[in-house]
Amino acid sequence: KETTIAIIGAGIAGLSCATRLKALGFQVQLYEKSLGVSGRMSTRNNDHWSGDHGAQYFTARDPLFINQVKEWINAEVAAIWNPRLKVFKANQWQDSTATENRYVGIPAMNSPGKHLAKALPIEFNQTIDRVAYAQNKWQLHSLESGDIHQQFDWLVVALPAPQALALTKSIDKSIEKFTIDANMQGCWTVMASFTDNLNLPFDAAFINNESISWISRNNSKPKRIGLETWVIHCNPTWSQEWIELDKDEAAKRILDCATKLGLDCRTAKISIHRWRYASGHTNPIPVFRLHEDLKLGFCGDWLNGGRVEGAWLSGYQLACQIEKVQK
Ligand code: FAD
């Protein structure tokens, strides 16, 4: 009989873990609270514009992830992005000297995740709010459907640190320290779409010492269509300090700062998003967490340096370790 594994969260970590486990012969089942995959590698779509409002791009350094990115490029769900990149520092604009390849999903940031999801069983609109381990089986409960009928041999939690803590603190007594160490912080994001092109002399910029930390012209990424749309991210410290701000007030403050930086959004259509858990990670880096006795694993960016590559590798390595233990 096949070993069954439930995976909670269909972000890139959960998807990567599920893909690897399936390849190793396990029977996997993903549960995702939203209606689509990819979590923070996300895109907001509208009739006239679209914007990647989570991860902006990803880099690839580990050979395993480099291979995965090659596969995505061959499948035409990812491509290199070569923005004209500036840095704003000490009130001055400079050209960025960074040379590392930056990759994006095409036609949207969630495309690599959607590609992985095609081969995986996923139940959407399932917010898992309770889990229990009894008689060597995991039982799940969801907000929307109540008790999940199927029981599982293993459980993988592929959620941001605070959500992983809320779900498992009564079972995994040591998880709290890890999640506190990860210190995940929020991010305020504004998307501004324009009917006319702005013709700014850059496509993206890192901003230092302002509430805004990053701006980018979404349409400069390959295969984007629709109106010129700029994505604005605030830095983690500012975002966390003002995370409870009313959305209109947050937008006003962010757009004041954007105007100061030369991105005048007065004619733009504005959309704002509050990320409660955007970034943060434990130090030192455990890559993943596994309780062999409980058959309980954790993966996600916060256990492996933050960012897309770390999240993907965390899921992949957890899957490999589960296979070793199970043998
Ligand atoms: P997530 O993507 O958060 O996936 C978790 C999934 O679990 C989600 O789909 C969520 O809906 C689901 N979920 C949550 N609770 C439940 C529940 N109770 N039951 C079921 N499902 C649940 N990284 C980079 O590499 N480069 C960047 O430029 C970059 N910029 C970023 C900018 C922003 C604003 C943000 C927010 C993130 C950025 N990141 C960037 C980080 C990157 O997006 C993450 O590292 C990566 O996507 C995390 O993947 P994950 O699978 O660990 O978590």
Side-chain angles (χ1 to χ4, degrees):
K1 197 161 165 281
E2 275 183 337
T3 305
T4 55
I5 305 187
I7 299 165
I8 306 174
I12 203 68
L15 292 168
S16 136
C17 189
T19 304
R20 185 73 192 141
L21 284 170
K22 192 178 162 205
L24 292 169
F26 293 98
Q27 193 199 317
V28 293
Q29 176 63 54
L30 282 134
Y31 294 95
E32 167 57 49
K33 78 169 177 187
S34 65
L35 298 178
V37 295
S38 269
R40 282 171 278 156
M41 285 179 82
S42 54
T43 305
R44 186 172 284 186
N45 287 306
N46 183 287
D47 283 349
H48 307 292
W49 58 269
S50 75
D52 300 330
H53 63 314
Q56 294 300 290
Y57 61 83
F58 47 91
T59 48
R61 295 165 195 172
D62 185 286
L64 287 169
F65 190 60
I66 290 172
N67 270 346
Q68 171 66 95
V69 173
K70 276 189 192 150
E71 205 183 287
W72 287 341
I73 290 172
N74 286 340
E76 297 183 8
V77 293
I80 287 185
W81 176 43
N82 273 320
R84 294 169 299 155
L85 191 59
K86 296 258 188 202
V87 177
F88 185 73
K89 207 174 186 175
N91 274 322
Q92 298 214 316
W93 289 100
Q94 299 159 10
D95 288 330
S96 165
T97 51
T99 53
E100 198 169 13
N101 278 344
R102 295 183 164 78
Y103 300 93
V104 293
I106 56 168
M109 205 59 190
N110 54 18
S111 304
K114 281 184 174 172
H115 177 71
L116 292 179
K118 276 197 271 180
L120 297 168
I122 306 179
E123 285 199 28
F124 293 101
N125 195 26
Q126 296 280 11
T127 309
I128 304 303
D129 58 354
R130 266 196 335 259
V131 294
Y133 192 55
Q135 288 155 0
N136 298 327
K137 289 283 180 192
W138 281 100
Q139 293 161 5
L140 278 58
H141 180 277
S142 104
L143 202 63
E144 296 82 2
S145 318
D147 285 329
I148 305 274
H149 177 68
Q150 192 183 353
Q151 299 190 344
F152 299 90
D153 300 312
W154 286 81
L155 176 65
V156 168
V157 177
L159 306 176
Q163 291 163 324
L165 172 69
L167 199 58
T168 60
K169 64 181 172 211
S170 60
I171 299 165
D172 175 2
K173 302 288 180 213
S174 58
I175 184 91
E176 188 158 6
K177 185 195 163 305
F178 270 83
T179 54
I180 289 170
D181 281 355
N183 187 25
M184 287 194 82
Q185 298 195 296
C187 178
W188 276 109
T189 299
V190 164
M191 281 152 289
S193 63
F194 297 83
T195 43
D196 295 320
N197 291 347
L198 296 187
N199 297 318
L200 293 186
F202 57 86
D203 298 316
F206 292 104
I207 313 291
N208 289 280
N209 303 323
E210 300 285 345
S211 50
I212 291 174
S213 58
W214 166 261
I215 50 181
S216 76
R217 186 167 66 86
N218 206 71
N219 303 63
S220 67
K221 297 179 180 176
K223 305 267 185 213
R224 267 52 176 184
I225 48 166
L227 296 178
E228 174 159 325
T229 301
W230 286 78
V231 176
I232 304 170
H233 284 326
C234 292
N235 75 52
T237 310
W238 190 89
S239 297
Q240 196 57 41
E241 185 178 351
W242 299 106
I243 201 73
E244 299 303 339
L245 215 57
D246 169 72
K247 281 192 173 177
D248 289 340
E249 179 57 27
K252 190 180 158 304
R253 294 189 195 183
I254 295 163
L255 295 177
D256 282 350
C257 180
T259 303
K260 201 173 99 184
L261 294 166
L263 183 63
D264 184 344
C265 296
R266 272 174 301 184
T267 60
K269 183 140 180 28
I270 300 300
S271 169
I272 184 158
H273 186 82
R274 176 188 3 227
W275 291 101
R276 285 204 178 270
Y277 313 118
S279 61
H281 64 87
T282 50
N283 236 331
I285 287 168
V287 183
F288 58 82
R289 243 173 104 69
L290 182 63
H291 293 279
E292 295 179 16
D293 46 344
L294 284 171
K295 298 197 171 177
L296 169 64
F298 294 85
C299 59
D301 63 339
W302 61 282
L303 289 158
N304 197 22
R307 315 195 82 68
V308 171
E309 177 171 19
W312 185 91
L313 280 166
S314 174
Y316 183 98
Q317 298 293 11
L318 173 62
C320 296
Q321 190 61 29
I322 289 175
E323 203 241 354
K324 264 195 210 157
V325 172
Q326 185 65 33
K327 259 185 181 170

